[in-house]
Amino acid sequence: MTEARGSAGPNGETNARHAPGTPCWVSLMVHGMAATQDFYGSLFGWEFQPGPGQLGPYVRALLDGEEVAGIGRLPQDRHLPVAWTPYLASDDVDLTAETVRLCGGTVGVGPLDADEAGRLLIGSDPTGAVFGVWQAAAHRGTSVAGVPGTPAWHELLTFESTSVTKFYETVFGYEEEPVVSADFDYVTLHIAGRPVAGIRGVGNALPRDRGPHWMTYFEVADTDEAAGRVVDLGGQVVKPPQDSDHGRVAAVADPEGARFFLIESPH
């Protein structure tokens, strides 16, 4: 976990096109869209507007009029985990799809156009962790950062970092910066010298029902208060708030079980 503030302007705005490999969007597929919108609207102050319909019912979450995330409905016949999925920017999603396959990954959805917004795929790395790829057109992706209610960081939880890091480096052009530690398996992924995401090897500590998966950190003003509100809104606290080198962090889950982190960054 580290901070990803390099792309934000003085007021947190990120209007420029995201560099290839940079997490540019995060999306959640759920069973009950109305209840999910109520939960995140109350937790983060999000409002919602309809988005492209290629993947079924879909809304974009807005914070003070700026797009921050997407929520869609899971197909009834698909038994998939309810989980936040990061989308990584690409200038050519069709070429990225070929590279994903050549490097041992899988393309499960797409590439396909999302109206005039852009072109996408949903794939998985060789360990099974799911991620999206977004080639922007009208929709650039998350347009604000560094304020409460916005994605702050994305982290892959996997068995061990070394082999899967090579996959992401080859597909997205990351430079890696391992954390040198005998008891901490962590790699920070960089684009143009800036940290954009992390890979954490946790071995047998991975949840047996999930396997390797990406996790999103959302910025909050007060981690303890936000964790309490998660419970009040029908979610649960998975790991209570604790201090870290990068701020106060808690692991929580929404009412459908989608897990994410809350982080109150140091000021």
Side-chain angles (χ1 to χ4, degrees):
M1 169 64 205
T2 186
E3 289 180 76
R5 296 285 185 273
S7 62
N11 298 313
E13 71 273 10
T14 56
N15 294 323
R17 179 181 290 271
H18 293 268
T22 306
C24 61
W25 188 244
V26 63
S27 192
L28 175 66
M29 302 296 282
V30 299
H31 300 286
M33 286 187 62
T36 299
Q37 290 175 65
D38 287 344
F39 174 84
Y40 287 100
S42 299
L43 181 62
F44 292 138
W46 290 351
E47 298 175 335
F48 300 92
Q49 68 179 23
Q54 271 76 0
L55 297 177
Y58 191 83
V59 294
R60 290 182 182 148
L62 307 179
L63 187 67
D64 295 327
E66 300 286 347
E67 296 176 339
V68 293
I71 297 174
R73 191 168 72 207
L74 277 169
Q76 299 292 338
D77 57 343
R78 299 288 294 277
H79 297 286
L80 300 171
V82 177
W84 282 102
T85 301
Y87 281 72
L88 310 173
S90 171
D91 285 341
D92 185 339
V93 76
D94 294 84
L95 180 59
T96 301
E98 291 181 29
T99 313
V100 165
R101 294 188 183 102
L102 286 171
C103 293
T106 302
V107 176
V109 176
L112 58 84
D113 290 324
D115 293 343
E116 304 300 315
R119 191 162 171 80
L120 67 87
L121 69 80
I122 299 172
S124 56
D125 68 27
T127 70
V130 175
F131 60 90
V133 180
W134 181 253
Q135 180 181 337
H139 174 59
R140 296 288 176 90
T142 302
S143 55
V144 62
V147 296
T150 61
W153 186 247
H154 301 277
E155 197 168 82
L156 173 63
L157 301 184
T158 189
F159 295 108
E160 54 87 26
S161 66
T162 304
S163 57
V164 76
T165 297
K166 301 302 180 191
F167 169 84
Y168 287 98
E169 284 179 341
T170 305
V171 175
F172 295 105
Y174 296 123
E175 306 114 30
E176 66 168 284
E177 183 180 295
V179 174
V180 180
S181 171
D183 55 4
F184 192 59
D185 179 9
Y186 198 94
V187 173
T188 304
L189 303 176
H190 291 71
I191 294 289
R194 184 172 69 86
V196 296
I199 297 178
R200 189 198 306 181
V202 296
N204 294 328
L206 269 178
R208 291 187 179 180
D209 59 337
R210 283 297 311 274
H213 59 283
W214 281 90
M215 290 282 285
T216 297
Y217 289 74
F218 288 97
E219 188 75 47
V220 292
D222 184 324
T223 298
D224 295 78
E225 188 273 337
R229 203 166 350 134
V230 165
V231 175
D232 292 342
L233 294 168
Q236 61 176 314
V237 174
V238 180
K239 289 185 180 177
Q242 61 184 24
D243 293 323
S244 75
D245 291 342
H246 306 285
R248 192 158 174 79
V249 178
V252 299
D254 70 18
E256 286 202 19
R259 294 189 177 191
F260 56 98
F261 287 106
L262 305 170
I263 181 163
E264 176 188 343
S265 295
H267 301 295

